[in-house]
Amino acid sequence: MGTTGNDAILAQLVADGIQYIFGNPGTVEQGLLEALGDEPRLRYILGLHETVAVAMADGYARATRRPAVVQLHSSVGVGNGIGMLYQAKRGHSPLVVLAGDAGVRYDATEAQMAADLVAMARPATKASLRVTDSRSVLRMLRRAVKIASTPPQGPVFLDLPADVLDELNEEPVHPSPLPVTEVVPPEAHLARAASLLVGAAKPLVLIGDGIDAALAQQPLRQVAELLGADVWGVNHSAVNFDPRHPLYRGQLGHMFGDVSAARVRDADAVLIVGTYVFPEVYPRLADPFGKSARIVHIDLDVENIAKNHRVDLGLVAHPGLTLAALAGQLEQVSSPAERATAGERLRRRAAARDAEPVPVPSTVAEHFIAALAQRTGDNLVVFDE
């Protein structure tokens, strides 16, 4: 008996280094599950509800910084998982979601659980795709892995009709090619970024989870200290900046744009990294920044840059490498007086932090770091190569 699409999918996942499939199956995935019984290199992690399966895969992807595979069942299973898929999309979690349906041959009938799965998943995913030909099963799967893994990362949905997977498959198996995204702007643009930020009286840094995704915590700290800039998180969920650092001010508002506007309106230089501004439920439509504020935005997601508000310089680049290079530029162009002023702002923040009550951490991760710090004192190193 030849190789079917079900066998080929599992071989492709193994080639991509996948070890686990998180899911909640149904009848139309029977062929895939039977093939899985003959593949010892893959383990199926059963969730008793689709939200649990997606959440497990989301956490695994964030912890390993690798794509995770989720298997959902037809319209009902996809519908049950939509809420958690939306959270994974907003958290830029690289999930590959494999969903079964009865088959392309049944599209014309109003069969049990029939639905446009691609349309259902589209609002909650980075991309929503469907395989309709047995000669392109692995081509579409590799495309899903590439899209999910490329910044901005996010869940990709792939509808796999059972009749397509049951056909013989002769596609070659090879690891999914992933483009290199560790790019740094030319020196001239870095120099301009430094010139826009240096010497500010009220500098500000706004950060999101793009910092953690790029492991950019250390160069972010260096840039913030060189500028003496307050650091605010923009609805972030990861530990992007040490919450015990005196320059860290917490999170901006989640609900109302006026809260964010009050924090940023007086800044004369703003550095935005790894996020868009602003993702509140009720955002402020008018530009919240001062008219004379100089704004630099760094992100690998080109859509994030100047998405809602103006910037003076947008750099589509790797946040970690770019912040490290920007720190070097700031050290070169800042005068002794400017460095002294930035250092004084840092000292004032440190003194104010020491005099204030211990701040309430604003994310679960920050609660963990704060609790760990109380136990270990100065022995805790939060970000260290």
Side-chain angles (χ1 to χ4, degrees), residues 280-370:
E280 300 100 339
V281 177
Y282 303 102
R284 179 187 175 95
L285 299 181
D287 191 341
F289 300 104
K291 292 182 178 180
S292 60
R294 306 181 300 275
I295 303 173
V296 176
H297 196 158
I298 302 169
D299 206 312
L300 269 172
D301 183 357
V302 65
E303 292 188 2
N304 272 354
I305 297 175
K307 185 173 187 175
N308 296 314
H309 304 295
R310 67 177 179 88
V311 302
D312 294 287
L313 178 62
L315 301 175
V316 182
H318 187 274
L321 299 178
T322 303
L323 286 171
L326 178 60
Q329 288 286 339
L330 289 171
E331 289 177 336
Q332 291 182 29
V333 303
S334 59
S335 67
E338 289 167 339
R339 288 194 292 271
T341 300
E344 180 58 30
R345 281 196 293 266
L346 175 57
R347 285 189 290 273
R348 286 201 304 268
R349 282 297 186 202
R353 173 65 65 91
D354 291 341
E356 292 175 354
V358 177
V360 177
S362 53
T363 69
V364 173
E366 288 169 10
H367 276 285
F368 174 75
I369 293 295

Side-chain angles (χ1 to χ4, degrees), residues 71-203:
Q71 182 273 311
L72 301 178
H73 170 58
S74 198
S75 57
V76 177
V78 173
N80 286 343
I82 287 293
M84 282 306 302
L85 282 178
Y86 180 80
Q87 293 300 321
K89 178 185 178 182
R90 296 307 297 262
H92 298 295
S93 190
L95 304 185
V96 177
V97 184
L98 308 180
D101 72 26
V104 174
R105 73 183 71 177
Y106 303 114
D107 280 356
T109 69
E110 192 176 357
Q112 177 73 3
M113 292 191 291
D116 187 344
L117 301 184
V118 172
M120 285 180 64
R122 184 175 289 118
T125 55
K126 182 181 176 183
S128 190
L129 313 170
R130 192 188 195 209
V131 177
T132 56
D133 192 289
S134 61
R135 294 165 294 185
S136 291
V137 174
L138 299 192
R139 178 181 288 111
M140 294 295 286
L141 179 54
R142 285 191 289 265
R143 183 179 301 173
V145 172
K146 184 193 76 170
I147 295 173
S149 305
T150 304
Q153 295 180 334
V156 175
F157 180 87
L158 185 59
D159 178 357
L160 297 171
D163 54 0
V164 174
L165 297 190
D166 288 340
E167 294 182 24
L168 295 181
N169 189 290
E170 298 180 353
E171 292 178 272
V173 175
H174 57 79
S176 300
L178 303 181
V180 175
T181 58
E182 294 177 338
V183 293
V184 184
E187 187 173 352
H189 294 305
L190 288 167
R192 186 182 172 211
S195 68
L196 289 169
L197 298 171
V198 76
K202 294 182 178 180

Side-chain angles (χ1 to χ4, degrees), residues 204-207 234 270-278 289 295-299 310-311:
L204 195 66
V205 180
L206 304 177
I207 60 171
V234 181
V270 181
L271 174 62
I272 307 168
V273 191
T275 184
Y276 73 90
V277 291
F278 287 97
F289 300 104
I295 303 173
V296 176
H297 196 158
I298 302 169
D299 206 312
R310 67 177 179 88
V311 302

